Amino acid sequence: MQTRGRTAERVVRPALVVALAVAVVAGFQQSLFGHLPDALEPGLAPIWVLALVFLGAELYVVHAESRTELIALTPHDAGIVLGLFLVAPSELLFAQLAGAAVALLALRHGRPRLVVTRLASLALGTTVAVLVFTSISRLGDPAGPLGWVAALAAAVTGTVVATLASAAAGDALPARERLRTALALAAAGSVAASSIALAAIALARNGDVAAILLLVPFVSCAVALRAYSSERRRLEHMRALYHSMRSVQRAPGLETGVAELLAETRRLLEAELAMVILLPSDPAAAPLVATATARGEQELHAAYLAPVLDGAVRLVLGSGSLLVLADREPAELRGLLAELATKDALLVRLSGDSGARGVLLVGGSGSVPEFTEDDLRLLETYAGHAGVLIENDRLEQSLTEVTELKEQLRHQAYHDALTGLPNRVLFAERVARAIRPGEEATAAVLFLDLDDFKTINDSLGHHVGDALLVAVARRVEAAVRPGDVPARLGGDEFAVLARVVVTEEAERIADRLVRALEEPFVIEDREISVHTSVGIAFGEPGSALADELLRNADVAMYDAKRGGKRRYTSYEPEMHLRVRERQELGAAIERAVARGEIGVHYQPIVDLSTRRVVALEALARWDRREHGLLAPTSFVPLADELGIMLEIGRTVLRESCRQARAWQVSFPGHEDLTLTVNLAPSELHNPQLATEVATILLETGFAPDRLVLEITESGVMRSPEEALRTMLELRELGVTLALDDFGTGHSSLAHLREFPIDTLKIARPFVAGLPDGELDGVFVDAIVRLATSLGLEVVAEGIESAGQADAVAALGCTHGQGFYFGEPLGELGVSAYLGSRTLPVILSHPLSHVA
């Protein structure tokens, strides 16, 4: 519709202007049509009277350019017929243009485009009427009946042409039915007006003054037709109002309803602009605004209004509806039309049962008449219904928001906020449902706990830990079957509920979960390794409680950790005893740290070529009451998991540095005695480790280049980047680094090349088979060659015989350690050891096979 309107503006209106020029030239020059007749009844009425007739006719048409039926029902037809008989064609055209121009300029001042368009359509119709009248009159006597027929045909044809031209010159062509009705009315009105004009001419020929009485039926007919037109227009508005309200009412949601309201408002009033301004619930907030123009729509959004528009809204909310015209713009709203870029405007309140909800604003188009009070009343009626609908939409939206909020709260109550997985509450409900009587499949609960996750959280920060948990959750989801239920129970604990027919199905799922976490994660451009231990518990329908099933799976998981981690284990009843013992052991370790029960023993490291003691390895020992002396393997892993290994490590390092320094001073020949101290994984990933080591060295006076810190491959691989940073900081202090148990971990040679390692310690299993084990000899030889090529020293661990000592020395090892050279001893034992001239005889000891 808009495209057709723009086509009319580009094509029809210029054509009408050209037609006006041609008509004027033709009327005055009388050359385009050949010889045009002079007046048939000269002297009956002067030309100025005829101009007054056309002036009155045009004044009758108040809104001619948008109401084609009124264009057809004007007194112009009577004026044309009178002009055909009383004046020459040029005088007729002059009188019509002069009278119509005066009326148009009085009614349409400031709108020259409409004036020119209207004059062009009238001139075109009159020119056509003259042509038709002249053509028919040439067939006989124009003063007789033939002339009457010619005048009627000319008037009807001219009116039809003028009606079509005026309709085509609008922004949009009227609907076909409406145009057909207008043309029919035009023809009928033209016949009636022309007939009255002919009768007046006939009476005037005889000098009968009663001709003036013909104005009575003429005016009566015109008034009746105008009343019909107004009523018809009112009915059209009511029909449009009805359809508009139905369209708005059917629109779902507030945003859609407002958009439909704006579109229907523009259609209803043929407006350029429609705007809705909804009041916010919070007086300090910005109102909600939506607009619709011929160029497009802007959805409902919060926006502060321009001052003049804000003043208009406040005025409407306080005083009622406003009709703002270009020549009658209220002083307090000066500049409103310029702000809206429209020629006029209507503003009405949108009210509901609870009061004013906002304002509906309509801006007029330059191609349609100015808004009237009738338009304002129509818009008020429309806004009254629309306000109720908007209020209902807002109530529905509020109800929808409450429902959505309720769903969100329910989702949050049953799902983990970090990973989006079901939480412990929802998982327990699903487990209870899976084991209720009547279920066919067996419920398997798989309980997952990340190995050594606390170390990552403490060393890299909780934000990295959270990102890692999210990544783990995604891998867990990918590793389970479509019907299984993965969940995060809290912290680094996850679980999976699976329906299985045989136990092997659950074990296959557990195996996939363990393998899914083998590949390192990349978090914030750093590589992090984390693994999981899985416990499995089965529940037959109707035979167990959900809490009991979860507890059994948790117990099995801890048993998997105790058995070496990175594995899965199915629940067995005796596991409860082991878990209880583990809990008791954890509590005992915490008490031991507080009581100072964790001490240090030392094992010598010798130069294999001279068999001279060159270093001591500090080993933590727990003197547990009623249990005797406990080796590190019995409590260090649990202490590391419980987060208390940092305190134990600081105690061991401080005590061993103090004691080693005392030995350096007390025993001649041992001034360069080296001290080796083990670092647990949590210690290696402690971001303050380098600072703490520097402080202890300063306190004890022990030289940094005499301190060797041993790390394990598995500890490094928890977070290689973080470990590398800590290792570089230690190297800057002058501390030496050794890689313990080389060959038993899972790090690659690439990492060995990248890490600042000074010493490799060959693990006990490779030494145990010497000197007879050929394969063990091959492995030791390969490790020694690798270390030599990298410029590293080699220490063979676990030497328990002279044959083993000779074998590793022959393969190129420079240093050895083991019970053949000395067992871990306390302070007094080491002092005696260092003071002896020869190595002591090996004594049998309950810890002879543990470090």
Side-chain angles (χ1 to χ4, degrees):
M1 188 68 75
Q2 295 170 358
T3 302
R4 293 173 63 187
R6 287 193 291 268
T7 301
E9 186 175 356
R10 290 195 301 264
V11 179
V12 177
R13 287 172 180 162
L16 288 176
V17 174
V18 173
L20 172 61
V22 171
V24 172
V25 172
F28 283 103
Q29 299 299 323
Q30 299 183 4
S31 59
L32 187 62
F33 310 115
H35 175 71
L36 294 177
D38 293 329
L40 299 178
E41 304 289 343
L44 287 179
I47 189 173
W48 62 267
V49 174
L50 194 59
L52 290 177
V53 171
F54 285 114
L55 173 63
E58 193 60 28
L59 290 174
Y60 171 79
V61 183
V62 179
H63 299 300
E65 65 274 17
S66 66
R67 299 168 67 180
T68 53
E69 68 273 14
L70 288 185
I71 298 174
L73 301 177
T74 67
H76 276 286
D77 302 303
I80 290 174
V81 171
L82 291 175
L84 290 175
F85 284 93
L86 302 181
V87 298
S90 60
E91 294 174 333
L92 169 60
L93 186 60
F94 175 79
Q96 183 187 44
L97 292 178
V102 171
L104 287 171
L105 291 174
L107 295 175
R108 300 285 180 255
H109 55 279
R111 301 169 70 187
R113 182 173 59 83
L114 296 179
V115 172
V116 173
T117 301
R118 176 61 176 159
L119 291 177
S121 62
L122 290 176
L124 180 61
T126 301
T127 302
V128 171
V130 170
L131 284 173
V132 172
F133 180 75
T134 301
S135 300
I136 297 176
S137 298
R138 288 174 179 171
L139 300 178
D141 181 11
L146 181 63
W148 299 347
V149 174
L152 287 174
V156 171
T157 305
T159 298
V160 170
V161 169
T163 301
L164 288 173
S166 181
D171 273 353
L173 290 173
R176 184 176 302 176
E177 180 183 356
R178 181 179 175 186
L179 182 60
R180 190 163 47 242
T181 301
L183 292 176
L185 289 173
S190 180
V191 170
S194 300
S195 299
I196 294 175
L198 289 172
I201 292 173
L203 291 174
R205 283 176 179 173
N206 300 325
D208 193 343
V209 295
I212 193 67
L213 297 177
L214 292 175
L215 289 175
V216 175
F218 184 84
V219 172
S220 300
C221 180
V223 170
L225 290 174
R226 183 174 180 83
Y228 164 79
S229 175
S230 298
E231 183 63 20
R232 177 183 177 83
R233 181 173 173 81
R234 190 184 70 82
L235 291 175
E236 288 179 352
H237 278 175
M238 294 303 295
R239 187 182 298 111
L241 180 64
Y242 170 75
H243 289 297
S244 298
M245 293 312 305
R246 289 200 61 184
S247 298
V248 174
Q249 191 171 15
R250 286 195 298 265
L254 179 61
E255 288 79 6
T256 307
V258 168
E260 192 67 30
L261 169 65
L262 295 176
E264 292 296 334
T265 301
R266 289 189 64 239
R267 281 194 289 270
L268 183 66
L269 294 173
E270 302 179 54
E272 169 68 20
L273 164 73
M275 178 185 296
V276 162
I277 303 166
L278 298 181
L279 301 178
S281 54
D282 181 6
L288 298 177
V289 181
T291 58
T293 65
R295 294 180 296 276
E297 299 178 356
Q298 189 175 39
E299 295 181 348
L300 199 64
H301 66 287
Y304 288 100
L305 305 177
V308 65
L309 184 56
D310 183 68
V313 170
R314 294 179 184 276
L315 187 60
V316 171
L317 293 175
S319 304
S321 304
L322 284 179
L323 169 60
V324 182
L325 302 176
D327 56 344
R328 286 182 286 168
E329 198 172 16
E332 63 268 35
L333 299 182
R334 196 79 65 194
L336 175 63
L337 298 181
E339 175 69 28
L340 300 175
T342 60
K343 68 179 183 64
D344 49 12
L346 299 173
L347 294 90
V348 297
R349 268 187 302 207
L350 291 169
S351 299
D353 295 336
S354 58
R357 309 298 302 179
V359 171
L360 176 61
L361 184 152
V362 179
S365 169
S367 60
V368 297
E370 291 180 338
F371 290 131
T372 64
E373 293 291 339
D374 290 339
D375 296 322
L376 185 61
R377 285 191 292 272
L378 175 67
L379 188 62
E380 286 175 343
T381 303
Y382 186 48
H385 294 285
V388 175
L389 294 179
I390 287 178
E391 184 175 53
N392 292 339
D393 283 338
R394 296 192 76 167
L395 290 175
E396 290 179 3
Q397 185 178 34
S398 299
L399 180 60
T400 301
E401 291 173 353
V402 170
T403 304
E404 291 176 352
L405 179 59
K406 180 180 178 181
E407 290 299 320
Q408 291 176 3
L409 293 175
R410 185 182 185 281
H411 185 274
Q412 293 173 5
Y414 287 97
H415 290 79
D416 175 52
L418 179 63
T419 64
L421 294 177
N423 61 12
R424 183 180 291 272
V425 175
L426 180 57
F427 187 76
E429 289 184 3
R430 296 291 178 86
V431 173
R433 190 182 306 169
I435 60 177
R436 63 189 176 187
E439 296 292 330
E440 297 180 358
T442 299
V445 172
L446 292 82
F447 199 103
L448 293 77
D449 186 86
L450 302 184
D451 298 332
D452 307 314
F453 176 76
K454 187 178 186 303
T455 303
I456 297 174
N457 231 10
D458 293 340
S459 60
L460 302 182
H462 288 279
H463 66 289
V464 175
D466 288 346
L468 179 60
L469 290 174
V470 173
V472 168
R474 301 292 82 82
R475 288 199 190 178
V476 169
E477 286 180 312
V480 300
R481 303 172 304 179
D484 299 336
V485 181
R488 181 189 176 210
L489 305 185
D492 60 337
E493 295 179 343
F494 294 82
V496 175
L497 171 63
R499 307 290 184 91
V500 298
V501 178
V502 293
T503 58
E504 287 77 8
E505 291 183 67
E507 292 175 352
R508 285 194 292 269
I509 298 172
D511 183 62
R512 285 201 303 272
L513 290 169
V514 172
R515 287 188 286 106
L517 301 186
E518 290 289 342
E519 188 71 19
F521 294 85
V522 178
I523 307 296
E524 295 186 358
D525 296 328
R526 71 174 75 216
E527 192 175 278
I528 301 175
S529 293
V530 66
H531 307 286
T532 186
S533 300
V534 182
I536 309 171
F538 299 94
E540 296 293 336
S543 63
L545 298 176
D547 291 342
E548 181 182 354
L549 194 56
L550 285 170
R551 186 169 58 253
N552 292 344
D554 190 11
V555 168
M557 181 273 298
Y558 278 112
D559 194 77
K561 282 184 177 292
R562 189 187 63 83
K565 301 181 180 180
R566 295 167 60 182
R567 56 194 294 271
Y568 62 87
T569 302
S570 296
Y571 171 76
E572 296 176 0
E574 59 269 19
M575 289 180 179
H576 274 293
L577 177 60
R578 292 197 291 267
V579 170
R580 185 164 58 250
E581 291 175 350
R582 181 181 181 277
Q583 293 172 343
E584 292 175 355
L585 180 61
I589 294 173
E590 292 182 354
R591 291 193 299 269
V593 172
R595 295 171 180 172
E597 296 176 359
I598 306 297
V600 183
H601 281 210
Y602 304 87
Q603 186 174 32
I605 299 174
V606 303
D607 185 323
L608 292 177
S609 60
T610 64
R611 304 299 169 98
R612 177 176 176 272
V613 177
V614 294
L616 295 171
E617 180 176 356
L619 301 169
R621 289 291 187 266
W622 178 14
D623 188 6
R624 188 180 182 189
R625 298 176 182 178
E626 300 178 359
H627 291 79
L629 200 63
L630 301 181
T633 54
S634 63
F635 67 90
V636 166
L638 181 57
D640 201 30
E641 184 180 331
L642 295 175
I644 58 178
M645 193 58 212
L646 295 180
E647 181 61 30
I648 295 176
R650 283 190 288 267
T651 300
V652 171
L653 181 62
R654 181 178 290 106
E655 173 59 23
S656 60
C657 285
R658 183 197 63 77
Q659 185 61 59
R661 178 56 185 157
W663 285 326
Q664 287 176 340
V665 173
S666 301
F667 294 95
H670 292 289
E671 293 83 0
D672 294 333
L673 184 67
T674 299
L675 176 67
T676 299
V677 180
N678 293 281
L679 290 180
S682 58
E683 294 180 273
L684 179 60
H685 295 285
N686 175 16
Q688 303 301 320
L689 177 63
T691 302
E692 293 176 1
V693 170
T695 301
I696 292 174
L697 291 175
L698 184 62
E699 290 175 355
T700 60
F702 195 72
D705 60 345
R706 295 292 90 195
L707 177 63
V708 178
L709 295 179
E710 294 187 11
I711 61 176
T712 61
E713 294 176 273
S714 58
V716 170
M717 292 307 296
R718 286 190 184 180
S719 177
E721 293 182 1
E722 187 67 22
L724 178 59
R725 182 188 65 80
T726 302
M727 293 163 71
L728 291 175
E729 291 177 352
L730 292 171
R731 285 293 297 274
E732 289 180 2
L733 293 177
V735 174
T736 302
L737 298 176
L739 187 60
D740 194 14
D741 292 333
F742 181 76
T744 61
H746 60 277
S747 64
S748 66
L749 294 180
H751 286 130
L752 181 61
R753 182 189 62 189
E754 295 169 0
F755 293 148
I757 301 297
D758 302 288
T759 303
L760 286 183
K761 301 190 74 172
I762 300 176
R764 182 193 307 274
F766 295 109
V767 177
L770 298 178
D772 299 325
E774 294 183 4
L775 186 59
D776 291 327
V778 171
F779 274 109
V780 172
D781 181 60
I783 294 173
V784 171
R785 290 178 182 273
L786 173 64
T788 302
S789 66
L790 295 175
L792 306 179
E793 291 188 358
V794 182
V795 177
E797 295 183 296
I799 298 175
E800 298 184 358
S801 67
Q804 291 175 346
D806 294 338
V808 295
L811 291 173
C813 288
T814 57
H815 296 83
Q817 176 182 359
F819 283 94
Y820 175 71
F821 302 113
E823 63 184 33
L825 300 172
E827 178 183 344
L828 295 178
V830 174
S831 297
Y833 192 103
L834 294 175
S836 65
R837 294 182 178 273
T838 59
L839 292 178
V841 179
I842 301 174
L843 301 176
S844 176
H845 194 279
L847 300 179
S848 61
H849 293 286
V850 294

